[in-house]
Amino acid sequence: MDFTEIRLSDKTRREHDLLGEMEIPAEYYFGVQTMRAVENFHISRVRLNFFPELIRALADVKQGAAMANRDLGLLDPAIADAIIRACEELRAGKLEEQFVVDMVQGGAGTSTNMNANEVIANRALELLGHEKGEYQFCHPNNHVNLSQSTNDAYPTAVRIALVRSIEKLVASLRELIAAFHAKGEEFSGIIKMGRTQLQDAVPMTLGQEFEAYAANLTEETERLTANMKLFFEINMGATAIGTGINADPDYAGLCTRYLREITGLPLVEASNMIEATSDTGAFIMNSSAQKRLAVKLSKICNDLRLLSSGPRCGLNEINLPPRQPGSSIMPGKVNPVIPEVVNQVAFRVIGNDLTVTIASEAGQLELNVMEPIIVHCLFESIEMLINAMNTLREKCIAGITANEEVCRRMVFNSIGLVTALNPYLGYETSSMLAKEALKTGKGIYDLVLEHKLMSEEELHKVLQPENMVHPRKKIGE
């Protein structure tokens, strides 16, 4: 894989691992194990640095571990201080380009963990006055990864990063909800025909329709926030399988305490570390909540495309902002491209949820080695949902206008109008009117007057918009 964008010279340093030696370009803060992963995993072409929150969370974990190891007398204070300073730089956004491992990888996240260990170790070496690769002074495994394994450091970082990402997702969702509320208020006085099974049903206002979208999505802020709390339970200190091997008895509690301080999150030790190391239930729940949001967004976008269909041979009740010419062959055509792209994002999120489900089921014994694809799917879905909702809000919802006369005309020409008369005329008479209206093409309003079933004054009162869109007492009672 080409990393020429971060290589400035032909100088190299020699590093070794279990498999042998390798020349590493001098500018690279990552080392031999990261390079092995780069060579092995040309999979998604999505690198770790595509998700900065994950890098920030890895830095949180490594800093918390260094602070705990320092306090326990396991790590020289000078080395600990250099590691902490390197982690603080990562949290500030520095060296993001050095996180080059593919998100989809074998090894249960070891490549991700070692990418972080090597970058932090080499930056710490510089801060200590040494050259990159002089690991006798600060080693990726012996110092940065002290008292840890991939199996507690990686999932803990993922959980912290997911919490922050979900907070951003919920913030974008709330902005979209506010946009629907604004349209609901703007369209509150526009009468239109409600529909069930794509058939005329009963009158409502266009504002009620948009307020319903806002209410529908508001439920998802609660689901996402509730599921997010599952990530507060972490397994730091349990090392490889949850038994705590190679960790001081006081390390887990101390590291978790420092992580609470660093992140500001109410993180707690898992009650059963072996279960926490192998379980992916929190990922499943979060993925399901993302899928539920995606399904609702897609349904709303289906509605927007239907309501704006036409402009002359469709419903044409609303106008979506024109964003680009819609055809290379049909002049004048404008397509609902923004709802369409949100639909497609929803399909991807739904597919990602299935992947998370299958990968979670594939776990064996004390570890689920499929976590990298789970993590990739979750972060990809969040990123796409945030972008899709922002795009929908900015480029579609905010600019929707109503065709008020089209909406009103449809109401008064609709067979469904007879439903409003049912309490006054009875079901049989109303059915007769509907049948005759279909056969003759006449409107319900005109047929009621023609058959002298109600006076014009009575009919006018019953069919006033405000009397058809809310529960009410029978007119005349």
Side-chain angles (χ1 to χ4, degrees), residues 13 81 338:
R13 65 179 186 270
D81 180 65
I338 303 302

Side-chain angles (χ1 to χ4, degrees), residues 244-278:
I245 190 171
N246 290 355
D248 185 283
D250 296 324
Y251 169 79
L254 189 56
C255 185
T256 300
R257 191 192 84 192
Y258 274 125
L259 281 174
R260 281 197 296 270
E261 294 176 6
I262 293 166
T263 64
L265 300 175
L267 303 173
V268 297
E269 294 177 65
S271 58
N272 186 310
M273 290 292 203
I274 294 176
E275 180 272 342
T277 303
S278 63

Side-chain angles (χ1 to χ4, degrees), residues 1 3 15 22-25 28 30-41 100-101 118:
M1 189 176 290
F3 297 119
E15 292 193 16
M22 181 180 288
E23 293 291 329
I24 308 295
Y28 293 1
F30 52 85
V32 60
Q33 293 201 47
T34 299
M35 286 299 293
R36 301 275 189 212
V38 167
E39 291 179 348
N40 288 332
F41 306 125
V100 295
V101 173
E118 291 176 342

Side-chain angles (χ1 to χ4, degrees), residues 59 116 123 167 263 352 389 403 408:
R123 179 56 186 145
E167 288 173 343
T263 64
N352 281 347
M389 289 191 296
N403 293 322
R408 177 175 292 274

